[in-house]
Amino acid sequence: MKQENMKIIEQKMLAPNIFEMTLEGLIVQEMLVPGQFLHCQPPTRSDLLLRRPISISSIDLKTSQCKLIYRAEGAGTKDMSQLSANETLDVLGPLGNGFPVEDISEGELVIVVGGGIGIPPLYEVARQARLRGAQVMAFLGFASKDVMFYLEEFQALGDVHVSTDDGSYGTNGHLGIILDEILPQIEPSAVYSCGPTPLLAKVDQYFEEHPRAYVSLEERMACGVGACAACVCQTKDKKTKKMRLKKVCDEGPVFATGVVNI
Ligand code: FES
């Protein structure tokens, strides 16, 4: 983990209030697994004391660049969205435990299941799965067509199934409708998910006993490094069924299915 003023290479709006920021810095060389996050300091608002956790959506070790996709909804992320190329962003990271992808092998079916702003870290998972020769299937849920992003990028990696809450694109309704239709017909070797709690609960239910199925929790955070307990979630040991509190920033945000009380 490092703290660094990363150079902004590009900042663009992908959809209303959804931004993609490309950053360059030494810290990228430490990003060895997808699903980790950077804890970002709002650049001009000194009154905002807490950093904002933003998941890393793609990693390029060759150029030492990474991308963050985030929604500008609170004061901190709105402040970040005002930054332009050649400015810097103070970040701490990479933080958290990411998605295990090292055991993905050629020919396997890998599925990613994401909703809204939970989708970005799954892009790097899908990309790395493709690089390892796996077949990728993506299930993506958005509120509406207007706020969709990265559809073409996911389509370049494999099959994509989309739902929108208002029916403006793809299946009308929540992603669970598509999951109920397709999951009984397939046997994925690995499952990766990130998004709203009801979606994670559904994935957790379907794949509770699956040995390679993971959910990434989006929890409010303060320190981001395991020092304050602002981000605890309740977990149970799969064998003993004993309950335990775990810190999402430090022991997550990625957990195996069947472990977190979602
Ligand atoms: Fe402080 Fe997780 S945010 S322990």
Side-chain angles (χ1 to χ4, degrees):
M1 177 186 72
K2 280 190 172 67
Q3 183 176 359
E4 185 176 0
N5 285 318
M6 296 186 81
K7 183 180 174 189
I8 298 171
I9 302 299
E10 188 180 32
Q11 161 116 285
K12 60 181 181 191
M13 192 160 82
L14 300 178
N17 294 326
I18 309 281
F19 290 84
E20 179 192 71
M21 188 188 277
T22 307
L23 294 164
E24 187 178 290
L26 294 173
I27 228 170
V28 174
Q29 296 303 323
E30 296 189 12
M31 298 176 182
L32 302 178
V33 286
Q36 292 182 290
F37 65 93
L38 291 180
H39 219 18
C40 307
Q41 183 67 51
T44 66
R45 294 282 305 269
S46 52
D47 56 317
L48 301 175
L49 300 178
L50 298 180
R51 290 174 178 267
R52 300 314 194 249
I54 311 279
S55 59
I56 298 159
S57 59
S58 62
I59 303 164
D60 187 342
L61 295 175
K62 273 198 204 123
T63 59
S64 289
Q65 293 184 1
C66 67
K67 291 184 196 288
L68 307 178
I69 296 174
Y70 63 99
R71 187 189 287 135
E73 53 187 348
T77 42
K78 279 183 184 155
D79 195 32
M80 279 175 58
S81 72
Q82 302 303 310
L83 290 169
S84 318
N86 294 320
E87 294 187 280
T88 58
L89 181 69
D90 173 1
V91 308
L92 192 64
L95 297 174
N97 290 314
F99 288 111
V101 290
E102 64 286 345
D103 49 0
I104 295 176
S105 51
E106 195 166 349
E108 287 188 334
L109 172 62
V110 167
I111 70 168
V112 297
V113 183
I117 209 62
I119 291 170
L122 298 173
Y123 176 69
E124 181 63 23
V125 173
R127 206 181 66 79
Q128 292 202 21
R130 259 323 277 142
L131 283 175
R132 288 168 185 270
Q135 182 197 341
V136 174
M137 197 181 271
F139 297 88
L140 310 177
F142 297 93
S144 67
K145 186 179 179 190
D146 299 346
V147 293
M148 285 187 344
F149 58 88
Y150 262 49
L151 195 55
E152 282 176 20
E153 284 81 351
F154 275 100
Q155 282 168 339
L157 299 174
D159 288 340
V160 182
H161 301 273
V162 178
S163 73
T164 50
D165 296 342
D166 67 356
S168 50
Y169 189 94
T171 298
N172 184 358
H174 58 81
L175 199 52
I177 298 169
I178 304 183
L179 295 179
D180 286 338
E181 190 185 311
I182 297 182
L183 291 185
Q185 303 171 37
I186 60 174
E187 282 187 21
S189 303
V191 180
Y192 301 90
S193 64
C194 185
T197 307
L199 179 63
L200 297 188
K202 181 127 197 144
V203 172
D204 196 67
Q205 233 173 30
Y206 259 110
F207 297 105
E208 193 177 353
E209 299 299 331
H210 195 294
R212 288 165 61 198
Y214 306 92
V215 292
S216 179
L217 306 191
E218 295 176 308
E219 197 57 58
R220 282 196 168 271
M221 291 180 192
C223 72
V225 293
C228 74
C231 62
V232 290
C233 67
Q234 202 177 44
T235 63
K236 61 176 178 292
D237 187 286
K238 270 189 169 177
K239 282 191 191 128
T240 64
K241 304 290 173 210
K242 263 195 176 165
M243 305 303 275
R244 218 195 108 196
L245 293 178
K246 285 193 176 176
K247 294 167 184 168
V248 173
C249 68
D250 194 31
E251 295 168 277
V254 173
F255 294 93
T257 49
V259 167
V260 182
N261 222 352
I262 300 178

